[in-house]
Amino acid sequence: MKKTTLFFTFLLSVSLYSQIKLPRLISDGMVLQRDTKVNIWGWASPKEKIELDFNHKTYKTTTSEDGKWTIVLPSQKAGGPYEMTLKASNTITLKNILFGDVWLCSGQSNMELPMDRLKDKYKDVIAKSENPNIRQFLVPDEYYFANERVDFSSGEWISANPVSVLQFSGVGYFFASEIYEKYKIPIGIINSALGGSPAESWISEAGIRKFPEYDKEYMKFKDGTLEKKIDENDKKVSSNWYQLANSTDIGLKKWSEPELEDSDWKTMNVPGYWADGELGNVNGVVWFRKEFTAAKVNATTAKLVLGRIVDADSVYVNGSFVGTTSYMYPPRIYSFNANFLKEGKNEISIRVINNTGRGGFVTDKPYELTLGNDTIDLKGLWKYKLGAKMLPLPGQTFVRWKPVGLYNAMIAPLKNYPIKGVLWYQGESSTKIPSEYFSLMQTLIDNLRTQWNNEKLPFLVVQLTNFMDVKMEPGESNWAALRQQQLNTLAIPNTGLAVTIDLGEWNDIHPLNKYDVGKRLSLQARKLVYGEKNLVASGPTFKALEQKENKLILSFSDVGSGLIAKNNTPLKGFAIAGNDGKFVWADAVIEGDKIIVSNASIANPIKVRYAWADNPEGANLYNKENLPASPFEASLKDKK
């Protein structure tokens, strides 16, 4: 954080005592919001006269005593590119400016996740991504507690092409592509998201006062002293742990060699976790080796796909290093020179570092080597040996996720820049206390609407996907409870919800299908923001509950052309309970735009749940437009 602090000290000094300076957002290639007044602002010497020439008109102002200035441009129609010239004691010309719709993309890692992580899944999309009318501004991942920042330390507007698009938010890019394809207007996305961030880190200082515990925590960090102390300690602890692991790893610099004598090594099935085998639940460094046979090597490049590995890995082929990943979440995809391979027997060696929990290879993922048109399956028995046994690495504090810090650094500098709406994909990090999530979101939405002086600012939410193991019986689920809180946000005016319980991966908190997430957000935007009132933008949404004898009758909105059980199978995912609150699976049938649920063992059902699980696999209520119903919980007692 030291460099960033110095940057803003420098910014303040130049804004007060030197020539005209612009914020990062006001730059070449920017997309400005159409059909509304637009602020152009910056800093210069006190009382300096500023002129702005744009579209054959000149606008003038004078800086205030503190060196700030703002010029308001009248509403403009979508179009461009334009140029803009600013004159004071210096002259700045901004080029390639578009007017269109600007969307803020915020939340945590599933919003932040770049197209680069999706490049194998969406090769054709990336190859055809050249479009100067779709642009992104990437906000740097920073936090700050002292006050609201006025600018970013870095950032620029870039237009989409097969190289630059790899930096775009996957969800943001697919949303922008859908909206552009429909309306042919320039789309700018501001990518301001940070992996692992809880909702409270995106709320302002004034907003967080509604939550005494979070406000108390924020005040501990406001002066920066505790933040510095924790950061220094966390870095020291982590550095010492890895230094010890490296210095005690008996396999380092030896066990990657192809001719290693490994007859005394144990074996285990990959994918899998070594805690489930003879080695047991140990942390530290474990080496893996596998021999495979390659036919004649004709290709110039080979690709090694190793699913996901917990936590970090370094990979060698015949003793040559081919790639490394430092944490558990990214897919392991390593392309390397095929000259490393030879006809006949070859050897792969993997050094796995696991610092906490269960180390190993995530199941139900691909593990293979591609060489030209040939694919070699690498699943099965691998040899392994413990290189270094370590105590678990102590948990870090993650100061960057503390309340208010991300708002101050990553949202506040945007407040003068008009936007069309907000796309929000966050919640995984808030599942510990799902009951508070609606209040947090209501506060966050109010914050942003106040910041942009727009009480109707559209706010579109991505509901959590399906994740983790499938449970055979009805039960409690914090993920389901949080989805209910996200569903409840629809009670706030001008909000929308993209349901995604069919787009996840049970073994990956970062599912790769970001196209359908972006598309479903675009459906919400088209209906709520762009005025397609008759568009079916959602799957069935629970509306009302009635009891008739031993049955519950459920009514829905957003039924579209009609309710269906996807794949022509019986409806699944419904559970009911009586006064004892114990849920059992229910029989469910569609009757027109209603669903009748019952279980012979429940004479007086009063509660119903649908898709109430971390991973509600098999839940199949859709409308004929192929959009899934949102999970929900309802009770007859709620009507009283």
Side-chain angles (χ1 to χ4, degrees):
M1 298 299 292
K2 289 183 178 178
K3 290 183 179 178
T4 306
T5 303
L6 288 172
F7 166 79
F8 284 102
T9 303
F10 169 75
L11 175 61
L12 180 61
S13 66
V14 297
S15 68
L16 290 174
Y17 303 111
S18 65
Q19 297 177 327
I20 188 171
K21 182 173 179 61
L22 299 173
R24 296 278 182 174
L25 281 165
I26 307 299
S27 56
D28 290 343
M30 63 181 169
V31 181
L32 294 171
Q33 182 57 45
R34 64 176 176 139
D35 299 336
T36 189
K37 293 179 180 179
V38 170
N39 299 315
I40 305 298
W41 76 98
W43 305 270
S45 299
K47 300 300 180 181
E48 185 162 1
K49 296 184 184 301
I50 310 290
E51 285 190 7
L52 187 156
D53 293 329
F54 173 73
N55 203 15
H56 310 298
K57 292 185 179 180
T58 298
Y59 305 85
K60 298 180 180 181
T61 192
T62 302
T63 61
S64 59
E65 291 289 350
D66 59 2
K68 298 177 183 177
W69 60 269
T70 299
I71 290 175
V72 180
L73 295 181
S75 174
Q76 306 286 326
K77 296 298 182 183
Y82 297 101
E83 287 192 2
M84 181 182 296
T85 300
L86 294 133
K87 300 175 183 177
S89 52
N90 61 322
T91 299
I92 298 175
T93 298
L94 303 178
K95 300 178 180 180
N96 194 19
I97 300 167
L98 298 179
F99 280 83
D101 284 342
V102 181
W103 286 86
L104 171 61
C105 300
S106 193
Q108 58 183 107
S109 53
N110 273 305
M111 179 61 83
E112 186 180 26
L113 196 96
M115 290 292 289
D116 186 56
R117 283 271 291 272
L118 310 172
K119 59 188 176 185
D120 282 341
K121 184 176 180 64
Y122 298 110
K123 288 180 183 177
D124 293 342
V125 172
I126 291 170
K128 300 175 183 177
S129 63
E130 183 86 37
N131 190 337
N133 291 301
I134 295 177
R135 301 179 182 182
Q136 175 182 265
F137 184 95
L138 179 60
V139 172
D141 290 343
E142 294 175 350
Y143 61 93
Y144 194 63
F145 297 108
N147 48 49
E148 295 182 9
R149 282 186 172 159
V150 297
D151 199 6
F152 304 115
S153 61
S154 63
E156 62 181 334
W157 286 96
I158 57 174
S159 60
N161 62 52
V163 175
S164 66
V165 78
L166 298 178
Q167 302 175 45
F168 280 50
S169 156
V171 170
Y173 174 73
F174 285 121
F175 171 85
S177 296
E178 290 287 316
I179 297 298
Y180 177 78
E181 192 62 32
K182 179 67 179 178
Y183 303 110
K184 294 295 189 278
I185 56 172
I187 302 294
I189 58 174
I190 299 175
N191 181 358
S192 182
L194 180 67
S197 56
E200 61 269 17
S201 60
W202 297 99
I203 293 175
S204 71
E205 180 177 357
I208 212 68
R209 290 178 189 143
K210 299 177 184 177
F211 305 90
E213 287 301 314
Y214 290 135
D215 184 46
K216 183 179 178 181
E217 187 174 25
Y218 163 64
M219 294 306 295
K220 293 178 182 178
F221 290 90
K222 188 173 172 64
D223 70 358
T225 304
L226 181 60
E227 166 197 342
K228 182 179 179 181
K229 182 179 179 180
I230 290 174
D231 275 345
E232 289 176 351
N233 182 69
D234 282 352
K235 289 176 182 177
K236 181 179 180 181
V237 169
S238 179
S239 176
N240 288 344
W241 193 94
Y242 282 98
Q243 284 180 15
L244 183 61
N246 291 333
S247 65
T248 57
D249 178 10
I250 59 176
L252 197 61
K253 298 181 181 179
K254 294 187 295 184
W255 289 355
S256 61
E257 295 303 316
E259 302 302 325
L260 180 74
E261 170 54 48
D262 59 9
S263 60
D264 62 334
W265 287 38
K266 306 290 187 180
T267 60
M268 67 169 269
N269 274 306
V270 172
Y273 299 88
W274 60 72
D276 298 327
E278 185 177 343
L279 185 58
N281 193 13
V282 301
N283 303 117
V285 182
V286 182
W287 285 78
F288 289 83
R289 293 170 61 84
K290 186 176 183 64
E291 188 178 272
F292 66 93
T293 301
K296 189 173 182 180
V297 180
N298 293 319
T300 57
T301 302
K303 183 171 72 173
L304 193 56
V305 178
L306 295 172
R308 283 180 45 232
I309 299 174
V310 184
D311 293 289
D313 59 273
S314 296
V315 183
Y316 304 84
V317 174
N318 293 330
S320 297
F321 174 75
V322 299
T324 185
T325 304
S326 62
Y327 64 113
M328 71 169 76
Y329 292 117
R332 272 49 173 187
I333 302 173
Y334 302 125
S335 295
F336 61 94
N337 191 328
N339 288 335
F340 293 169
L341 296 169
K342 57 188 178 182
E343 185 176 349
K345 291 183 179 180
N346 294 264
E347 190 89 35
I348 297 176
S349 302
I350 305 176
R351 182 180 188 244
V352 179
I353 302 177
N354 169 246
N355 53 43
T356 57
R358 288 156 51 88
F361 301 78
V362 175
T363 58
D364 199 22
K365 292 283 185 181
Y367 293 84
E368 60 193 25
L369 175 70
T370 301
L371 187 62
N373 295 323
D374 296 328
T375 298
I376 300 170
D377 188 359
L378 298 176
K379 294 190 293 292
L381 285 178
W382 285 59
K383 292 184 175 183
Y384 75 88
K385 191 170 184 177
L386 182 65
K389 184 176 181 179
M390 299 282 293
L391 293 173
L393 174 66
Q396 290 189 308
T397 305
F398 295 110
V399 174
R400 63 183 177 273
W401 297 340
K402 295 299 180 182
V404 183
L406 298 184
Y407 175 88
N408 281 350
M410 298 180 68
I411 297 296
L414 300 168
K415 65 170 57 176
N416 289 329
Y417 203 84
I419 61 174
K420 188 73 169 179
V422 179
L423 309 180
W424 178 257
Y425 194 164
Q426 187 276 333
E428 298 91 338
S429 293
S430 298
T431 53
K432 292 180 181 179
I433 314 176
S435 59
E436 69 181 13
Y437 194 71
F438 175 81
S439 294
L440 287 168
M441 292 306 297
Q442 189 172 40
T443 302
L444 189 150
I445 293 169
D446 287 346
N447 264 187
L448 298 184
R449 288 177 173 174
T450 299
Q451 171 164 315
W452 271 285
N453 193 29
N454 181 357
E455 64 181 14
K456 295 182 179 180
L457 183 71
F459 195 93
L460 309 182
V461 175
V462 179
Q463 195 180 56
L464 292 184
T465 63
N466 47 310
F467 178 53
M468 294 183 285
D469 291 329
V470 175
K471 301 294 176 61
M472 294 298 103
E473 297 299 327
E476 299 308 310
S477 163
N478 278 15
W479 276 57
L482 193 123
R483 291 188 195 106
Q484 179 69 52
Q485 297 287 312
Q486 291 175 317
L487 177 64
N488 293 347
T489 62
L490 292 177
I492 302 171
N494 248 37
T495 58
L497 185 70
V499 177
T500 64
I501 58 165
D502 56 344
L503 304 181
E505 300 174 26
W506 76 267
N507 58 0
D508 202 328
I509 202 169
H510 302 122
L512 296 181
N513 185 352
K514 294 298 188 274
Y515 166 74
D516 283 305
V517 178
K519 183 174 183 178
R520 289 178 188 178
L521 281 170
S522 75
L523 291 174
Q524 292 292 321
R526 286 170 57 189
K527 184 169 186 175
L528 182 68
V529 183
Y530 292 98
E532 296 187 51
K533 300 302 182 185
N534 296 323
L535 178 70
V536 179
S538 301
T541 304
F542 172 77
K543 182 171 65 174
L545 174 66
E546 298 178 60
Q547 185 184 43
K548 186 175 183 181
E549 299 175 345
N550 68 336
K551 297 180 174 62
L552 292 176
I553 303 170
L554 314 178
S555 300
F556 295 83
S557 61
D558 302 293
V559 297
S561 303
L563 301 176
I564 63 168
K566 193 169 184 179
N567 300 324
N568 293 318
T569 58
L571 276 177
K572 296 179 181 179
F574 287 91
I576 59 173
N579 287 309
D580 62 2
K582 295 181 180 178
F583 282 89
V584 297
W585 293 124
D587 297 321
V589 294
I590 297 172
E591 291 188 5
D593 61 354
K594 300 183 186 298
I595 292 177
I596 315 299
V597 295
S598 63
N599 182 298
S601 68
I602 308 291
N604 183 36
I606 63 170
K607 296 180 180 179
V608 60
R609 286 173 171 173
Y610 171 69
W612 197 266
D614 299 336
N615 184 0
E617 184 179 85
N620 62 341
L621 176 60
Y622 284 67
N623 55 27
K624 290 182 180 178
E625 283 71 20
N626 199 35
L627 293 171
S630 169
F632 67 89
E633 178 182 46
S635 171
L636 289 172
K637 294 180 180 180
D638 297 336
K639 299 173 65 177
K640 297 179 182 179

